[in-house]
Amino acid sequence: MSRILQSVSGQNFGGQGAPPRVVVWEWLNEHGRWRPYTATVCHHIENALREDGRGRVALGQVDTQLTPYVIDLQTMHQYRQDTGTVRPVRRSFFEPSSAPGKGIVWEWENDAGSWTPYDTEICIAIQNAYEKQHPWLDLTTLGFCYLVHFHSMCQVNRQTHRKRRLRRRMDLAYPLTMGSIPKSQSWPVGSGSGLPCSCPQCLLVNSTRAASNAILASQKVKVLPGPPPNLPPPPPPPLHPSGIRQSVTYSGGAAGWGRPGEGGRPAGGIRNSSRSQSVPGSTAYPGQNNLNRPGVQRTSGSSSRASIPPGVPALPVKNLNGTGPVHPALAGMTGILMCAAGLPVCLTRAPKPILHPPPVNKEDIKPVSGISGICRKTKKKHLKKSKNPEEVVRRYIQKVKSPPDEDCTICMERLVTASGYEGVLNYKGIRSDLVGKLGKCNHMYHVLCLVAMYNNGNKDGSLQCPTCKAIYGEKTGTQPPGKMEFHVIPHSLPGFPEYKTIRIVYDIPSGMQGPEHPNPGKKFTARGFPRHCYLPDNDKGRKVLRLLVAAWDRRLIFAIGTSSTTGESNTVVWNEIHHKTEFGSNLTGHGYPDPNYLDNVLAELTLQGVTEEKALPY
């Protein structure tokens, strides 16, 4: 299962003798998963790539839902123009007989009743099992705790036993590309000339390449060291047309030693974690997405579970999220130098995240010590009669007779002048130049500005200083109705081997926005629920849980807004209190080990006004 990625513009799409390949463009979400663009969008990107390999592609031209998004083909990143969010993209190749080549899309039904496509590799695996008439498919090997049943056309969560409908539909086939796979390049080349730029990275690579060529010029072509016992020796490494020797690629075939040119793959090349082609003169540079995990049914027939021959050093390469022991730049440079010296090298891929623990029997699930109950529910918020905003503000301030000549950080007018909200708000008894000082932090503002700020908030009787975030009163949020469950499971988190684990399950259904939400009367979606989070079952972990329960009761865990991941508006999003959603690893940054997490989340809860004293009743 070889994977070849495209990460540069201005490639040659011609060529004879190589089989056609299906192209799928994908973007990286915050969970480290590559999500495919639709076939229509991929055709649009391919057309733009042929016309101008260094330009930008406006996705809204073919899909109105993607209007804010632009792909830069030079840097291989997707930009959201209204928020500034940047995400890596990649160009992946698959067999024409795979699901993308046939235009087959497998989708699951989400909580909003709409259909979400599976990741490309999962779609291919489901289609393969479907074509072979298997009754079911276990997705555990692909990193997901689900069973797919073809007879009932449903997906079952192996842990919660929750069922979702799934469907198979026909769509436009993904585009084909002919000829040899384009060479990969990892950062932009100099504009216009096509030559590498003069940045430190390019200079370093050019000097290393020159050193490698000097070594090769003084050597004759050598046969690599012998293979493992009882295996036939590999053929001598072929020569590149430029006279530079290429390294032998080791594959995971039956013999354990791959031969250059087998399986439809061009001869030579260092095989890295993304199975991208890398030949001398096409160095893998840092900062791009040519080092990614392999998928299913790629263009080579060799197995992704490659057995590394004895004596060949394995370099675990760091992935796009910045995890892993070896930086791509160091791994790439090491590979170049070792190949130049005639030594074999194999770069291994980073492991997939472990999102969920092993299955747990119901009798093994226990309540959390010191915390009553195992579930907290919130219902629709009943709005209390709002107190007069002026009364709320006056409760927390002291009048300032002679304010200093400095800015009010709310309206940015001088405190010695009238408030910028003069004429916008009219409250009897509040002069536009009246200044107040907050009791705890002593920060000063126009009283009219504080009233305006309160009116734009949750109107819950609390006030938060816009400068230091000090909270006056009890802060509450606008979290929609839902359920929070918590219990102990008999498994340990990385970094806490001596403790069991507290599992928190949040479940919020889709619904209608209330008067306290951004768009009252409009529907909101709730993606990815139920969401599972994890804490160690020790004293500090239980302390964090008590505070999280208090935060849940105050509707501070979630809010309705715009997702920074998908750009979707009117959806449930996290609300500034970080959770660990990765159980057995920390590849996405949302898992363990993380020795500072418990202290960090306690600090975040304190900023929300949730302290241990107020959480003691729980």
Side-chain angles (χ1 to χ4, degrees):
M1 292 185 289
S2 174
R3 179 176 194 87
I4 302 174
L5 294 181
Q6 161 69 21
S7 61
V8 70
S9 55
Q11 285 20 321
N12 176 20
F13 291 88
Q16 300 292 333
R21 297 170 178 86
V22 175
V23 179
V24 179
W25 284 81
E26 300 168 304
W27 58 277
L28 187 70
N29 70 9
E30 81 281 9
H31 301 298
R33 289 168 47 194
W34 289 96
R35 301 289 296 144
Y37 293 99
T38 64
T40 302
V41 173
C42 289
H43 277 278
H44 177 60
I45 300 173
E46 284 293 297
N47 291 336
L49 184 63
R50 290 185 177 94
E51 294 174 3
D52 181 9
R54 297 167 184 260
R56 290 196 171 197
V57 186
L59 304 186
Q61 294 178 357
V62 292
D63 189 341
T64 56
Q65 294 183 341
L66 301 180
T67 299
Y69 296 96
V70 173
I71 289 180
D72 189 320
L73 297 176
Q74 179 101 355
T75 63
M76 290 296 285
H77 283 84
Q78 169 193 279
Y79 297 87
R80 182 181 170 98
Q81 295 175 317
D82 54 349
T83 64
T85 303
V86 180
R87 297 194 178 278
V89 299
R90 72 181 182 184
R91 184 175 183 248
S92 306
F93 297 89
F94 300 87
E95 296 285 354
S97 60
S98 64
K102 297 177 181 179
I104 297 173
V105 181
W106 284 87
E107 300 172 318
W108 56 275
E109 187 178 28
N110 58 38
D111 293 333
S114 56
W115 295 90
T116 302
Y118 286 94
D119 297 352
T120 307
E121 62 178 27
I122 298 178
C123 179
I124 292 174
I126 295 176
Q127 178 62 22
N128 288 344
Y130 179 81
E131 291 177 350
K132 294 176 182 177
Q133 299 183 348
H134 291 173
W136 52 271
L137 174 66
D138 189 348
L139 298 180
T140 303
T141 57
L142 295 176
F144 297 90
C145 191
Y146 295 105
L147 285 175
V148 171
H149 295 274
F150 294 110
H151 178 71
S152 58
M153 289 297 283
C154 70
Q155 166 192 286
V156 180
N157 187 312
R158 299 184 60 177
Q159 187 172 354
T160 64
H161 304 291
R162 181 176 182 178
K163 293 184 178 180
R164 293 182 184 272
R165 290 195 300 163
L166 62 91
R167 72 178 184 182
R168 175 182 181 268
R169 68 175 179 86
M170 298 299 299
D171 198 354
L172 177 69
Y174 279 82
L176 285 174
T177 184
M178 304 293 294
S180 60
I181 294 298
K183 299 176 183 179
S184 64
Q185 184 169 348
S186 299
W187 64 62
V189 296
S191 58
S193 65
L195 298 174
C197 66
S198 59
C199 67
Q201 293 95 332
C202 283
L203 294 176
L204 176 60
V205 171
N206 290 335
S207 63
T208 303
R209 187 182 304 162
S212 300
N213 291 341
I215 295 173
L216 293 173
S218 63
Q219 292 181 338
K220 294 181 179 180
V221 177
K222 299 184 297 183
V223 178
L224 291 177
N230 302 323
L231 294 179
L239 289 177
H240 191 265
S242 64
I244 301 176
R245 182 175 66 244
Q246 296 179 335
S247 66
V248 171
T249 300
Y250 297 102
S251 66
W257 280 65
R259 298 179 182 271
E262 289 182 349
R265 181 165 52 190
I270 304 170
R271 189 179 63 147
N272 62 15
S273 63
S274 64
R275 275 56 172 178
S276 64
Q277 295 298 313
S278 178
V279 297
S282 178
T283 307
Y285 301 147
Q288 279 291 339
N289 57 339
N290 58 335
L291 292 172
N292 299 304
R293 60 191 178 99
V296 178
Q297 193 176 338
R298 308 303 183 182
T299 56
S300 169
S302 59
S303 171
S304 67
R305 299 289 183 182
S307 58
I308 303 172
V312 178
L315 301 178
V317 180
K318 124 184 211 180
N319 59 21
L320 283 176
N321 298 317
T323 59
V326 180
H327 192 280
L330 178 58
M333 301 302 290
T334 303
I336 293 169
L337 295 174
M338 293 183 68
C339 291
L343 299 175
V345 63
C346 180
L347 305 183
T348 62
R349 60 173 175 149
K352 293 183 179 180
I354 303 173
L355 301 178
H356 301 290
V360 180
N361 295 325
K362 287 186 177 180
E363 56 269 19
D364 293 330
I365 296 176
K366 305 297 181 182
V368 182
S369 176
I371 301 179
S372 60
I374 59 172
C375 181
R376 308 287 294 189
K377 293 183 179 180
T378 56
K379 300 180 181 179
K380 280 193 173 182
K381 183 174 182 179
H382 299 285
L383 292 178
K384 300 178 181 179
K385 291 184 178 180
S386 299
K387 295 184 178 180
N388 187 306
E390 180 184 349
E391 294 179 2
V392 174
V393 170
R394 290 185 182 276
R395 184 188 311 163
Y396 303 121
I397 65 169
Q398 302 171 358
K399 291 183 180 179
V400 178
K401 295 182 179 179
S402 301
D405 186 15
E406 58 186 40
D407 287 341
C408 169
T409 56
I410 297 177
C411 69
M412 300 311 294
E413 299 289 345
R414 308 296 286 182
L415 290 173
V416 294
T417 63
S419 167
Y421 285 93
E422 183 182 18
V424 179
L425 295 177
N426 293 311
Y427 280 92
K428 295 180 180 180
I430 300 181
R431 302 193 319 271
S432 60
D433 60 348
L434 184 62
V435 174
K437 180 175 67 173
L438 291 172
K440 296 179 183 178
C441 60
N442 294 325
H443 288 119
M444 289 180 280
Y445 308 93
H446 292 116
V447 176
L448 195 60
C449 292
L450 290 172
V451 172
M453 184 183 70
Y454 180 82
N455 275 332
N456 290 330
N458 199 27
K459 301 184 185 69
D460 57 359
S462 69
L463 199 65
Q464 187 167 14
C465 175
T467 301
C468 66
K469 307 304 180 183
I471 296 175
Y472 297 81
E474 183 175 286
K475 179 181 178 181
T476 60
T478 59
Q479 175 181 292
K483 180 173 67 173
M484 173 188 184
E485 296 180 354
F486 42 89
H487 48 252
V488 175
I489 57 176
H491 298 294
S492 299
L493 293 167
F496 299 93
E498 67 274 25
Y499 300 106
K500 295 181 180 180
T501 298
I502 298 172
R503 179 168 59 188
I504 306 171
V505 182
Y506 295 111
D507 197 3
I508 295 179
S510 301
M512 197 75 68
Q513 296 186 51
E516 72 276 18
H517 294 136
N519 297 293
K522 188 173 183 178
K523 291 183 179 180
F524 69 87
T525 59
R527 310 290 187 194
F529 287 93
R531 299 186 184 183
H532 292 215
C533 309
Y534 304 96
L535 294 168
D537 185 27
N538 57 16
D539 290 340
K540 187 174 284 188
R542 289 188 289 269
K543 175 181 176 180
V544 170
L545 177 62
R546 285 196 299 270
L547 296 176
L548 289 176
V549 171
W552 171 267
D553 289 342
R554 299 186 199 176
R555 290 177 162 76
L556 294 171
I557 303 291
F558 296 96
I560 295 178
T562 300
S563 170
S564 60
T565 305
T566 64
E568 181 183 13
S569 58
N570 300 302
T571 190
V572 179
V573 296
W574 293 104
N575 187 36
E576 299 181 357
I577 300 175
H578 286 82
H579 287 66
K580 292 295 187 181
T581 56
E582 190 177 344
F583 174 79
S585 56
N586 195 19
L587 300 182
T588 65
H590 303 296
Y592 296 92
D594 185 347
N596 299 320
Y597 168 67
L598 296 178
D599 291 327
N600 291 341
V601 74
L602 287 173
E604 291 173 345
L605 287 160
T606 301
L607 289 176
Q608 297 290 332
V610 182
T611 59
E612 187 177 11
E613 293 77 15
K614 296 183 179 180
L616 285 178
Y618 303 107

